[in-house]
Amino acid sequence: MSRFSDLKNIGVRLHHGDVSFDFVGRKKIWYSISALILVLAVGGLLGRGLHEGIEFKGGSVYTIQDTSASQGDARKAVEPFTDGTEAIVQKVGGSGLRIQLAESDADKTKQISAAIAKDLKVAPDKVNTQVVGPSWGKEISKKALQGLVIFMILVVIYLTFAFEWRMAVAALVALIHDIVITIGVYALVGFEVTPGTVIGLLTILGYSLYDTVVVFDTVKENTKNITKQTKRTYSEAANAGLNQTLVRSINTTVVALLPVASLLFVGGGLLGAGMLKDIALSLFVGLAAGAFSSIFIATPILADLKERSPEMRLLAKKVAQRRASEAKAAKAAEAAGIPADQAEGHPDVDEETEADEDETVPAQGGAARAGAARGRSRTRPAGKRKR
């Protein structure tokens, strides 16, 4: 019961910092995983290539809604008209067939339709014929590419003004990451690329960006006036913001993936709805990739870019110096047998840490060392001066 309670309250614990996962500190691991996935995706894209649908390369499609014929029977029926190219035959619903050929000649489609009706023993009017020219697909591809470019330009402009240019760069890298993975998965599994695929691809861009912006907004709040303190670096503050939104990102992704999985496995797999399958696969892969990139890619890249700036490098040095000083104080307290919560301001601890600090003061003469000692004596709490 206590474990269930811990899981239930994990979001609250992450928000308050009681539990924290070092995503930014382990960025090399996430980069390596992402690189491996990208290599597989690009390899599939360059090796197998995309299986373009009829809408993009042109051809003819013959659909029979109700037939007892098998897919093998359909291939034999159209084999004389394929000219060496393999016909694509798919099940549609429970008893339907969809036959796709590269042939798009209007006169020849009538002969093919008649041959299908004869060999599969169905009425000629039961064979639905669709002919598409390749020019339509080229126009769709051109418009989709234009929309993608315009979308990314607007994203960079908005994030630059709303946040900063480093966040815009990190978000853009995450978007490209999601697009490449989604397209690569299509090449690897051999799914047909249709207008539904394009719709799904453009849809996931908005989702991926939305999730990344939510994380960046929390990071922005956590890093506001960060140079005025010396307790944590920018990367640590960014990682804290990422942890605060972690449960929300996971919940949003799971809730979004459930209906999409239903479309993919039920609508596309069991019911044979081709368009649903095309949209659902791009959405499913894109949503999963978007959740991964917003957590493991975008924020670590942002932290990398920020840590290169002079002010953040100086902050990192100050944080390291403060932690070194605190570690020395803790070590001195342990040696003196003083509890950690009483170490601050204790004369024995002060003497030990002051001695360590004196060793690090450059040799600038007795006056400089005496001035540093006087400054420390003025800051020692009243009533605890060394007698």
Side-chain angles (χ1 to χ4, degrees):
M1 189 68 180
S2 61
R3 291 183 179 179
F4 177 77
S5 178
D6 289 342
L7 291 174
K8 186 177 180 181
N9 297 323
I10 187 68
V12 177
R13 296 167 64 198
L14 284 168
H15 183 78
H16 291 291
D18 298 332
V19 178
S20 180
F21 302 101
D22 191 9
F23 294 108
V24 176
R26 298 174 179 174
K27 57 192 174 185
K28 291 183 179 180
I29 297 176
W30 319 131
Y31 291 166
S32 300
I33 294 173
S34 181
L36 177 60
I37 297 173
L38 288 173
V39 167
L40 292 175
V42 174
L45 186 61
L46 296 178
R48 300 187 61 179
L50 291 174
H51 176 44
E52 295 180 339
I54 186 175
E55 296 86 357
F56 292 96
K57 64 181 181 181
S60 56
V61 176
Y62 307 88
T63 307
I64 306 98
Q65 295 297 338
D66 190 10
T67 178
S68 59
S70 65
Q71 291 175 277
D73 296 334
R75 288 192 181 90
K76 290 180 180 179
V78 298
E79 188 175 357
F81 307 97
T82 56
D83 296 330
T85 59
E86 186 179 357
I88 300 173
V89 183
Q90 298 172 316
K91 275 283 186 181
V92 179
S95 58
L97 287 174
R98 182 177 183 269
I99 308 169
Q100 179 178 325
L101 300 175
E103 178 62 52
S104 60
D105 182 77
D107 294 331
K108 205 169 185 179
T109 55
K110 295 179 180 179
Q111 301 177 15
I112 297 173
S113 179
I116 291 173
K118 179 181 178 181
D119 292 354
L120 301 187
K121 298 179 175 58
V122 296
D125 58 347
K126 296 294 184 181
V127 180
N128 182 30
T129 304
Q130 179 186 8
V131 181
V132 179
S135 59
W136 188 85
K138 291 180 180 178
E139 187 66 21
I140 289 293
S141 301
K142 180 181 178 181
K143 295 294 183 183
L145 183 60
Q146 289 177 351
L148 180 62
V149 172
I150 293 173
F151 174 80
M152 288 190 169
I153 292 174
L154 293 177
V155 164
V156 171
I157 294 174
Y158 169 75
L159 290 179
T160 300
F161 283 96
F163 297 97
E164 61 169 306
W165 69 266
R166 294 178 182 87
M167 289 188 176
V169 171
L172 185 62
V173 171
L175 282 177
I176 296 174
H177 169 276
D178 300 342
I179 293 173
V180 173
I181 288 178
T182 305
I183 296 176
V185 169
Y186 258 86
L188 288 172
V189 300
F191 268 36
E192 192 176 61
V193 178
T194 66
T197 306
V198 177
I199 294 171
L201 186 64
L202 295 177
T203 303
I204 64 171
L205 297 180
Y207 176 86
S208 176
L209 180 65
Y210 168 75
D211 206 27
T212 302
V213 167
V214 170
V215 176
F216 281 178
D217 187 61
T218 306
V219 171
K220 182 181 178 182
E221 289 295 322
N222 282 5
T223 56
K224 188 177 182 181
N225 299 324
I226 192 171
T227 55
K228 296 181 180 179
Q229 55 81 50
T230 56
K231 290 185 177 180
R232 58 182 180 178
T233 64
Y234 184 93
S235 294
E236 292 168 346
N239 189 72
L242 184 55
N243 276 273
Q244 290 171 358
T245 57
L246 179 62
V247 173
R248 177 214 158 274
S249 298
I250 294 175
N251 288 340
T252 304
T253 302
V254 171
V255 170
L257 284 176
L258 287 176
V260 173
S262 299
L263 286 175
L264 179 61
F265 299 110
V266 178
L270 299 180
L271 301 181
M275 183 63 74
L276 288 179
K277 181 178 66 176
D278 299 335
I279 297 176
L281 179 63
S282 59
L283 286 176
F284 189 86
V285 176
L287 289 174
F292 177 86
S293 65
S294 65
I295 296 173
F296 299 101
I297 302 299
T299 305
I301 288 177
L302 170 63
D304 269 345
L305 294 174
K306 287 292 290 186
E307 292 290 2
R308 296 173 186 270
S309 63
E311 59 270 21
M312 294 307 159
R313 288 180 179 179
L314 180 60
L315 174 62
K317 291 180 180 179
K318 291 180 178 179
V319 171
Q321 291 171 356
R322 172 174 179 154
R323 290 176 180 172
S325 178
E326 290 175 347
K328 290 178 181 178
K331 186 177 180 180
E334 183 181 357
I338 301 170
D341 57 350
Q342 300 177 13
E344 186 176 357
H346 197 284
D348 293 339
V349 176
D350 285 348
E351 287 178 1
E352 184 71 23
T353 54
E354 284 171 6
D356 290 340
E357 289 172 2
D358 286 341
E359 292 178 1
T360 61
V361 175
Q364 297 176 352
R369 288 193 293 272
R374 287 196 297 273
R376 287 193 294 270
S377 66
R378 286 194 295 270
T379 59
R380 181 179 288 122
K384 294 186 177 181
R385 296 184 182 276
K386 182 180 179 182
R387 298 185 182 277

PDB file of all heavy atoms in Angstrom, residues 97-129:
ATOM      1  N   LEU A  97     -11.259  -6.576 -50.882  1.00  0.00           N
ATOM      2  CA  LEU A  97      -9.900  -6.585 -51.404  1.00  0.00           C
ATOM      3  C   LEU A  97      -9.611  -5.242 -52.073  1.00  0.00           C
ATOM      4  O   LEU A  97     -10.488  -4.641 -52.699  1.00  0.00           O
ATOM      5  CB  LEU A  97      -9.705  -7.707 -52.417  1.00  0.00           C
ATOM      6  CG  LEU A  97      -9.629  -9.155 -51.889  1.00  0.00           C
ATOM      7  CD1 LEU A  97      -9.581 -10.123 -53.056  1.00  0.00           C
ATOM      8  CD2 LEU A  97      -8.411  -9.339 -50.987  1.00  0.00           C
ATOM      9  N   ARG A  98      -8.353  -4.818 -51.959  1.00  0.00           N
ATOM     10  CA  ARG A  98      -7.902  -3.586 -52.620  1.00  0.00           C
ATOM     11  C   ARG A  98      -6.663  -3.927 -53.427  1.00  0.00           C
ATOM     12  O   ARG A  98      -5.655  -4.397 -52.893  1.00  0.00           O
ATOM     13  CB  ARG A  98      -7.568  -2.518 -51.577  1.00  0.00           C
ATOM     14  CG  ARG A  98      -7.132  -1.173 -52.158  1.00  0.00           C
ATOM     15  CD  ARG A  98      -6.901  -0.177 -51.027  1.00  0.00           C
ATOM     16  NE  ARG A  98      -6.546   1.129 -51.525  1.00  0.00           N
ATOM     17  CZ  ARG A  98      -5.303   1.556 -51.748  1.00  0.00           C
ATOM     18  NH1 ARG A  98      -4.282   0.726 -51.532  1.00  0.00           N
ATOM     19  NH2 ARG A  98      -5.067   2.775 -52.194  1.00  0.00           N
ATOM     20  N   ILE A  99      -6.748  -3.703 -54.736  1.00  0.00           N
ATOM     21  CA  ILE A  99      -5.665  -4.045 -55.658  1.00  0.00           C
ATOM     22  C   ILE A  99      -5.095  -2.757 -56.237  1.00  0.00           C
ATOM     23  O   ILE A  99      -5.838  -1.958 -56.819  1.00  0.00           O
ATOM     24  CB  ILE A  99      -6.160  -4.961 -56.792  1.00  0.00           C
ATOM     25  CG1 ILE A  99      -6.895  -6.166 -56.222  1.00  0.00           C
ATOM     26  CG2 ILE A  99      -4.990  -5.396 -57.676  1.00  0.00           C
ATOM     27  CD1 ILE A  99      -7.642  -6.981 -57.265  1.00  0.00           C
ATOM     28  N   GLN A 100      -3.800  -2.572 -56.081  1.00  0.00           N
ATOM     29  CA  GLN A 100      -3.157  -1.357 -56.587  1.00  0.00           C
ATOM     30  C   GLN A 100      -2.129  -1.719 -57.654  1.00  0.00           C
ATOM     31  O   GLN A 100      -1.276  -2.573 -57.448  1.00  0.00           O
ATOM     32  CB  GLN A 100      -2.492  -0.592 -55.447  1.00  0.00           C
ATOM     33  CG  GLN A 100      -1.778   0.676 -55.911  1.00  0.00           C
ATOM     34  CD  GLN A 100      -1.165   1.444 -54.755  1.00  0.00           C
ATOM     35  OE1 GLN A 100      -1.729   1.467 -53.649  1.00  0.00           O
ATOM     36  NE2 GLN A 100      -0.013   2.058 -54.982  1.00  0.00           N
ATOM     37  N   LEU A 101      -2.222  -1.035 -58.797  1.00  0.00           N
ATOM     38  CA  LEU A 101      -1.301  -1.253 -59.906  1.00  0.00           C
ATOM     39  C   LEU A 101      -0.663   0.059 -60.322  1.00  0.00           C
ATOM     40  O   LEU A 101      -1.229   1.138 -60.102  1.00  0.00           O
ATOM     41  CB  LEU A 101      -2.036  -1.860 -61.109  1.00  0.00           C
ATOM     42  CG  LEU A 101      -2.714  -3.219 -60.899  1.00  0.00           C
ATOM     43  CD1 LEU A 101      -3.486  -3.612 -62.162  1.00  0.00           C
ATOM     44  CD2 LEU A 101      -1.680  -4.277 -60.561  1.00  0.00           C
ATOM     45  N   ALA A 102       0.522  -0.036 -60.931  1.00  0.00           N
ATOM     46  CA  ALA A 102       1.190   1.160 -61.431  1.00  0.00           C
ATOM     47  C   ALA A 102       0.540   1.666 -62.709  1.00  0.00           C
ATOM     48  O   ALA A 102       0.739   2.809 -63.114  1.00  0.00           O
ATOM     49  CB  ALA A 102       2.672   0.867 -61.682  1.00  0.00           C
ATOM     50  N   GLU A 103      -0.251   0.832 -63.352  1.00  0.00           N
ATOM     51  CA  GLU A 103      -0.927   1.200 -64.602  1.00  0.00           C
ATOM     52  C   GLU A 103      -1.965   2.282 -64.345  1.00  0.00           C
ATOM     53  O   GLU A 103      -2.789   2.187 -63.434  1.00  0.00           O
ATOM     54  CB  GLU A 103      -1.606  -0.026 -65.203  1.00  0.00           C
ATOM     55  CG  GLU A 103      -2.381   0.258 -66.477  1.00  0.00           C
ATOM     56  CD  GLU A 103      -1.473   0.763 -67.574  1.00  0.00           C
ATOM     57  OE1 GLU A 103      -0.467   0.106 -67.850  1.00  0.00           O
ATOM     58  OE2 GLU A 103      -1.780   1.831 -68.141  1.00  0.00           O
ATOM     59  N   SER A 104      -1.934   3.354 -65.135  1.00  0.00           N
ATOM     60  CA  SER A 104      -2.902   4.441 -64.971  1.00  0.00           C
ATOM     61  C   SER A 104      -3.574   4.834 -66.286  1.00  0.00           C
ATOM     62  O   SER A 104      -4.212   5.860 -66.367  1.00  0.00           O
ATOM     63  CB  SER A 104      -2.215   5.679 -64.369  1.00  0.00           C
ATOM     64  OG  SER A 104      -1.167   6.130 -65.216  1.00  0.00           O
ATOM     65  N   ASP A 105      -3.390   4.024 -67.324  1.00  0.00           N
ATOM     66  CA  ASP A 105      -4.023   4.300 -68.609  1.00  0.00           C
ATOM     67  C   ASP A 105      -5.523   4.042 -68.506  1.00  0.00           C
ATOM     68  O   ASP A 105      -5.958   2.961 -68.078  1.00  0.00           O
ATOM     69  CB  ASP A 105      -3.402   3.417 -69.693  1.00  0.00           C
ATOM     70  CG  ASP A 105      -3.982   3.702 -71.058  1.00  0.00           C
ATOM     71  OD1 ASP A 105      -3.587   4.724 -71.651  1.00  0.00           O
ATOM     72  OD2 ASP A 105      -4.860   2.921 -71.501  1.00  0.00           O
ATOM     73  N   ALA A 106      -6.325   5.015 -68.897  1.00  0.00           N
ATOM     74  CA  ALA A 106      -7.785   4.926 -68.722  1.00  0.00           C
ATOM     75  C   ALA A 106      -8.387   3.761 -69.505  1.00  0.00           C
ATOM     76  O   ALA A 106      -9.288   3.076 -69.012  1.00  0.00           O
ATOM     77  CB  ALA A 106      -8.435   6.243 -69.153  1.00  0.00           C
ATOM     78  N   ASP A 107      -7.920   3.531 -70.752  1.00  0.00           N
ATOM     79  CA  ASP A 107      -8.481   2.449 -71.557  1.00  0.00           C
ATOM     80  C   ASP A 107      -8.115   1.080 -70.981  1.00  0.00           C
ATOM     81  O   ASP A 107      -8.930   0.153 -70.970  1.00  0.00           O
ATOM     82  CB  ASP A 107      -7.969   2.550 -73.004  1.00  0.00           C
ATOM     83  CG  ASP A 107      -8.477   3.805 -73.699  1.00  0.00           C
ATOM     84  OD1 ASP A 107      -9.585   4.267 -73.321  1.00  0.00           O
ATOM     85  OD2 ASP A 107      -7.777   4.328 -74.578  1.00  0.00           O
ATOM     86  N   LYS A 108      -6.913   0.951 -70.488  1.00  0.00           N
ATOM     87  CA  LYS A 108      -6.462  -0.324 -69.975  1.00  0.00           C
ATOM     88  C   LYS A 108      -7.151  -0.672 -68.648  1.00  0.00           C
ATOM     89  O   LYS A 108      -7.321  -1.852 -68.321  1.00  0.00           O
ATOM     90  CB  LYS A 108      -4.945  -0.297 -69.787  1.00  0.00           C
ATOM     91  CG  LYS A 108      -4.297  -1.673 -69.830  1.00  0.00           C
ATOM     92  CD  LYS A 108      -2.785  -1.539 -69.914  1.00  0.00           C
ATOM     93  CE  LYS A 108      -2.156  -2.921 -70.075  1.00  0.00           C
ATOM     94  NZ  LYS A 108      -0.682  -2.841 -70.197  1.00  0.00           N
ATOM     95  N   THR A 109      -7.527   0.341 -67.887  1.00  0.00           N
ATOM     96  CA  THR A 109      -8.191   0.065 -66.610  1.00  0.00           C
ATOM     97  C   THR A 109      -9.527  -0.650 -66.810  1.00  0.00           C
ATOM     98  O   THR A 109      -9.938  -1.447 -65.961  1.00  0.00           O
ATOM     99  CB  THR A 109      -8.425   1.373 -65.824  1.00  0.00           C
ATOM    100  OG1 THR A 109      -9.152   2.300 -66.645  1.00  0.00           O
ATOM    101  CG2 THR A 109      -7.110   1.991 -65.374  1.00  0.00           C
ATOM    102  N   LYS A 110     -10.194  -0.384 -67.911  1.00  0.00           N
ATOM    103  CA  LYS A 110     -11.467  -1.074 -68.189  1.00  0.00           C
ATOM    104  C   LYS A 110     -11.220  -2.562 -68.414  1.00  0.00           C
ATOM    105  O   LYS A 110     -11.992  -3.402 -67.936  1.00  0.00           O
ATOM    106  CB  LYS A 110     -12.134  -0.459 -69.412  1.00  0.00           C
ATOM    107  CG  LYS A 110     -12.561   0.997 -69.206  1.00  0.00           C
ATOM    108  CD  LYS A 110     -13.207   1.557 -70.467  1.00  0.00           C
ATOM    109  CE  LYS A 110     -13.636   2.992 -70.262  1.00  0.00           C
ATOM    110  NZ  LYS A 110     -14.251   3.583 -71.491  1.00  0.00           N
ATOM    111  N   GLN A 111     -10.159  -2.894 -69.139  1.00  0.00           N
ATOM    112  CA  GLN A 111      -9.835  -4.299 -69.365  1.00  0.00           C
ATOM    113  C   GLN A 111      -9.466  -4.988 -68.051  1.00  0.00           C
ATOM    114  O   GLN A 111      -9.880  -6.122 -67.781  1.00  0.00           O
ATOM    115  CB  GLN A 111      -8.665  -4.414 -70.342  1.00  0.00           C
ATOM    116  CG  GLN A 111      -8.909  -3.782 -71.702  1.00  0.00           C
ATOM    117  CD  GLN A 111      -7.686  -3.866 -72.600  1.00  0.00           C
ATOM    118  OE1 GLN A 111      -6.750  -4.617 -72.324  1.00  0.00           O
ATOM    119  NE2 GLN A 111      -7.682  -3.085 -73.674  1.00  0.00           N
ATOM    120  N   ILE A 112      -8.689  -4.282 -67.217  1.00  0.00           N
ATOM    121  CA  ILE A 112      -8.273  -4.858 -65.928  1.00  0.00           C
ATOM    122  C   ILE A 112      -9.480  -5.072 -65.023  1.00  0.00           C
ATOM    123  O   ILE A 112      -9.612  -6.116 -64.369  1.00  0.00           O
ATOM    124  CB  ILE A 112      -7.242  -3.940 -65.243  1.00  0.00           C
ATOM    125  CG1 ILE A 112      -5.975  -3.834 -66.102  1.00  0.00           C
ATOM    126  CG2 ILE A 112      -6.895  -4.465 -63.842  1.00  0.00           C
ATOM    127  CD1 ILE A 112      -4.973  -2.813 -65.584  1.00  0.00           C
ATOM    128  N   SER A 113     -10.382  -4.096 -64.996  1.00  0.00           N
ATOM    129  CA  SER A 113     -11.581  -4.211 -64.157  1.00  0.00           C
ATOM    130  C   SER A 113     -12.437  -5.403 -64.590  1.00  0.00           C
ATOM    131  O   SER A 113     -12.953  -6.155 -63.753  1.00  0.00           O
ATOM    132  CB  SER A 113     -12.391  -2.918 -64.239  1.00  0.00           C
ATOM    133  OG  SER A 113     -13.563  -3.005 -63.472  1.00  0.00           O
ATOM    134  N   ALA A 114     -12.579  -5.583 -65.930  1.00  0.00           N
ATOM    135  CA  ALA A 114     -13.365  -6.703 -66.437  1.00  0.00           C
ATOM    136  C   ALA A 114     -12.694  -8.035 -66.098  1.00  0.00           C
ATOM    137  O   ALA A 114     -13.366  -9.015 -65.735  1.00  0.00           O
ATOM    138  CB  ALA A 114     -13.541  -6.568 -67.946  1.00  0.00           C
ATOM    139  N   ALA A 115     -11.354  -8.091 -66.204  1.00  0.00           N
ATOM    140  CA  ALA A 115     -10.635  -9.328 -65.880  1.00  0.00           C
ATOM    141  C   ALA A 115     -10.766  -9.669 -64.398  1.00  0.00           C
ATOM    142  O   ALA A 115     -10.931 -10.843 -64.029  1.00  0.00           O
ATOM    143  CB  ALA A 115      -9.164  -9.173 -66.265  1.00  0.00           C
ATOM    144  N   ILE A 116     -10.731  -8.672 -63.541  1.00  0.00           N
ATOM    145  CA  ILE A 116     -10.879  -8.904 -62.092  1.00  0.00           C
ATOM    146  C   ILE A 116     -12.264  -9.449 -61.790  1.00  0.00           C
ATOM    147  O   ILE A 116     -12.425 -10.417 -61.022  1.00  0.00           O
ATOM    148  CB  ILE A 116     -10.614  -7.598 -61.310  1.00  0.00           C
ATOM    149  CG1 ILE A 116      -9.135  -7.206 -61.406  1.00  0.00           C
ATOM    150  CG2 ILE A 116     -11.021  -7.748 -59.840  1.00  0.00           C
ATOM    151  CD1 ILE A 116      -8.817  -5.855 -60.813  1.00  0.00           C
ATOM    152  N   ALA A 117     -13.288  -8.828 -62.402  1.00  0.00           N
ATOM    153  CA  ALA A 117     -14.665  -9.276 -62.157  1.00  0.00           C
ATOM    154  C   ALA A 117     -14.853 -10.720 -62.618  1.00  0.00           C
ATOM    155  O   ALA A 117     -15.516 -11.524 -61.951  1.00  0.00           O
ATOM    156  CB  ALA A 117     -15.634  -8.346 -62.863  1.00  0.00           C
ATOM    157  N   LYS A 118     -14.249 -11.076 -63.746  1.00  0.00           N
ATOM    158  CA  LYS A 118     -14.401 -12.428 -64.283  1.00  0.00           C
ATOM    159  C   LYS A 118     -13.672 -13.466 -63.431  1.00  0.00           C
ATOM    160  O   LYS A 118     -14.242 -14.497 -63.064  1.00  0.00           O
ATOM    161  CB  LYS A 118     -13.885 -12.460 -65.724  1.00  0.00           C
ATOM    162  CG  LYS A 118     -13.964 -13.831 -66.378  1.00  0.00           C
ATOM    163  CD  LYS A 118     -13.401 -13.789 -67.794  1.00  0.00           C
ATOM    164  CE  LYS A 118     -13.444 -15.168 -68.430  1.00  0.00           C
ATOM    165  NZ  LYS A 118     -12.872 -15.161 -69.814  1.00  0.00           N
ATOM    166  N   ASP A 119     -12.405 -13.181 -63.102  1.00  0.00           N
ATOM    167  CA  ASP A 119     -11.601 -14.166 -62.375  1.00  0.00           C
ATOM    168  C   ASP A 119     -12.029 -14.315 -60.923  1.00  0.00           C
ATOM    169  O   ASP A 119     -11.936 -15.406 -60.341  1.00  0.00           O
ATOM    170  CB  ASP A 119     -10.123 -13.784 -62.441  1.00  0.00           C
ATOM    171  CG  ASP A 119      -9.551 -13.925 -63.850  1.00  0.00           C
ATOM    172  OD1 ASP A 119     -10.268 -14.433 -64.736  1.00  0.00           O
ATOM    173  OD2 ASP A 119      -8.392 -13.516 -64.059  1.00  0.00           O
ATOM    174  N   LEU A 120     -12.494 -13.246 -60.318  1.00  0.00           N
ATOM    175  CA  LEU A 120     -12.907 -13.318 -58.907  1.00  0.00           C
ATOM    176  C   LEU A 120     -14.391 -13.615 -58.750  1.00  0.00           C
ATOM    177  O   LEU A 120     -14.890 -13.668 -57.620  1.00  0.00           O
ATOM    178  CB  LEU A 120     -12.551 -12.003 -58.185  1.00  0.00           C
ATOM    179  CG  LEU A 120     -11.066 -11.602 -58.192  1.00  0.00           C
ATOM    180  CD1 LEU A 120     -10.842 -10.386 -57.305  1.00  0.00           C
ATOM    181  CD2 LEU A 120     -10.172 -12.750 -57.740  1.00  0.00           C
ATOM    182  N   LYS A 121     -15.078 -13.762 -59.910  1.00  0.00           N
ATOM    183  CA  LYS A 121     -16.485 -14.137 -59.904  1.00  0.00           C
ATOM    184  C   LYS A 121     -17.357 -13.148 -59.129  1.00  0.00           C
ATOM    185  O   LYS A 121     -18.124 -13.499 -58.229  1.00  0.00           O
ATOM    186  CB  LYS A 121     -16.668 -15.550 -59.324  1.00  0.00           C
ATOM    187  CG  LYS A 121     -15.966 -16.636 -60.142  1.00  0.00           C
ATOM    188  CD  LYS A 121     -16.154 -18.001 -59.524  1.00  0.00           C
ATOM    189  CE  LYS A 121     -15.577 -19.097 -60.395  1.00  0.00           C
ATOM    190  NZ  LYS A 121     -14.140 -18.936 -60.683  1.00  0.00           N
ATOM    191  N   VAL A 122     -17.216 -11.880 -59.521  1.00  0.00           N
ATOM    192  CA  VAL A 122     -18.072 -10.835 -58.954  1.00  0.00           C
ATOM    193  C   VAL A 122     -18.676 -10.043 -60.105  1.00  0.00           C
ATOM    194  O   VAL A 122     -18.179 -10.077 -61.246  1.00  0.00           O
ATOM    195  CB  VAL A 122     -17.276  -9.888 -58.029  1.00  0.00           C
ATOM    196  CG1 VAL A 122     -16.746 -10.623 -56.816  1.00  0.00           C
ATOM    197  CG2 VAL A 122     -16.135  -9.217 -58.789  1.00  0.00           C
ATOM    198  N   ALA A 123     -19.747  -9.343 -59.838  1.00  0.00           N
ATOM    199  CA  ALA A 123     -20.397  -8.537 -60.869  1.00  0.00           C
ATOM    200  C   ALA A 123     -19.480  -7.378 -61.254  1.00  0.00           C
ATOM    201  O   ALA A 123     -18.790  -6.817 -60.390  1.00  0.00           O
ATOM    202  CB  ALA A 123     -21.731  -8.005 -60.350  1.00  0.00           C
ATOM    203  N   PRO A 124     -19.442  -7.003 -62.548  1.00  0.00           N
ATOM    204  CA  PRO A 124     -18.570  -5.901 -62.981  1.00  0.00           C
ATOM    205  C   PRO A 124     -18.814  -4.597 -62.224  1.00  0.00           C
ATOM    206  O   PRO A 124     -17.872  -3.825 -61.990  1.00  0.00           O
ATOM    207  CB  PRO A 124     -18.900  -5.758 -64.465  1.00  0.00           C
ATOM    208  CG  PRO A 124     -19.386  -7.111 -64.875  1.00  0.00           C
ATOM    209  CD  PRO A 124     -20.122  -7.639 -63.691  1.00  0.00           C
ATOM    210  N   ASP A 125     -20.083  -4.335 -61.847  1.00  0.00           N
ATOM    211  CA  ASP A 125     -20.363  -3.080 -61.151  1.00  0.00           C
ATOM    212  C   ASP A 125     -19.919  -3.110 -59.681  1.00  0.00           C
ATOM    213  O   ASP A 125     -19.993  -2.096 -58.979  1.00  0.00           O
ATOM    214  CB  ASP A 125     -21.845  -2.749 -61.225  1.00  0.00           C
ATOM    215  CG  ASP A 125     -22.724  -3.854 -60.632  1.00  0.00           C
ATOM    216  OD1 ASP A 125     -22.215  -4.965 -60.384  1.00  0.00           O
ATOM    217  OD2 ASP A 125     -23.913  -3.592 -60.399  1.00  0.00           O
ATOM    218  N   LYS A 126     -19.451  -4.283 -59.211  1.00  0.00           N
ATOM    219  CA  LYS A 126     -18.951  -4.394 -57.838  1.00  0.00           C
ATOM    220  C   LYS A 126     -17.463  -4.042 -57.727  1.00  0.00           C
ATOM    221  O   LYS A 126     -16.922  -3.975 -56.629  1.00  0.00           O
ATOM    222  CB  LYS A 126     -19.155  -5.821 -57.321  1.00  0.00           C
ATOM    223  CG  LYS A 126     -20.604  -6.251 -57.210  1.00  0.00           C
ATOM    224  CD  LYS A 126     -21.324  -5.445 -56.142  1.00  0.00           C
ATOM    225  CE  LYS A 126     -22.767  -5.934 -55.964  1.00  0.00           C
ATOM    226  NZ  LYS A 126     -23.477  -5.135 -54.930  1.00  0.00           N
ATOM    227  N   VAL A 127     -16.822  -3.840 -58.877  1.00  0.00           N
ATOM    228  CA  VAL A 127     -15.400  -3.482 -58.886  1.00  0.00           C
ATOM    229  C   VAL A 127     -15.298  -1.956 -59.017  1.00  0.00           C
ATOM    230  O   VAL A 127     -15.625  -1.392 -60.067  1.00  0.00           O
ATOM    231  CB  VAL A 127     -14.649  -4.173 -60.030  1.00  0.00           C
ATOM    232  CG1 VAL A 127     -13.172  -3.778 -59.997  1.00  0.00           C
ATOM    233  CG2 VAL A 127     -14.807  -5.675 -59.959  1.00  0.00           C
ATOM    234  N   ASN A 128     -14.869  -1.322 -57.958  1.00  0.00           N
ATOM    235  CA  ASN A 128     -14.726   0.139 -57.940  1.00  0.00           C
ATOM    236  C   ASN A 128     -13.330   0.513 -58.427  1.00  0.00           C
ATOM    237  O   ASN A 128     -12.324   0.055 -57.881  1.00  0.00           O
ATOM    238  CB  ASN A 128     -14.957   0.676 -56.526  1.00  0.00           C
ATOM    239  CG  ASN A 128     -14.873   2.189 -56.473  1.00  0.00           C
ATOM    240  OD1 ASN A 128     -15.180   2.866 -57.443  1.00  0.00           O
ATOM    241  ND2 ASN A 128     -14.442   2.720 -55.337  1.00  0.00           N
ATOM    242  N   THR A 129     -13.245   1.329 -59.467  1.00  0.00           N
ATOM    243  CA  THR A 129     -11.970   1.699 -60.080  1.00  0.00           C
ATOM    244  C   THR A 129     -11.637   3.164 -59.801  1.00  0.00           C
ATOM    245  O   THR A 129     -12.500   4.038 -59.936  1.00  0.00           O
ATOM    246  CB  THR A 129     -12.016   1.469 -61.599  1.00  0.00           C
ATOM    247  OG1 THR A 129     -12.376   0.107 -61.863  1.00  0.00           O
ATOM    248  CG2 THR A 129     -10.666   1.763 -62.224  1.00  0.00           C
TER     249      THR A 129
END
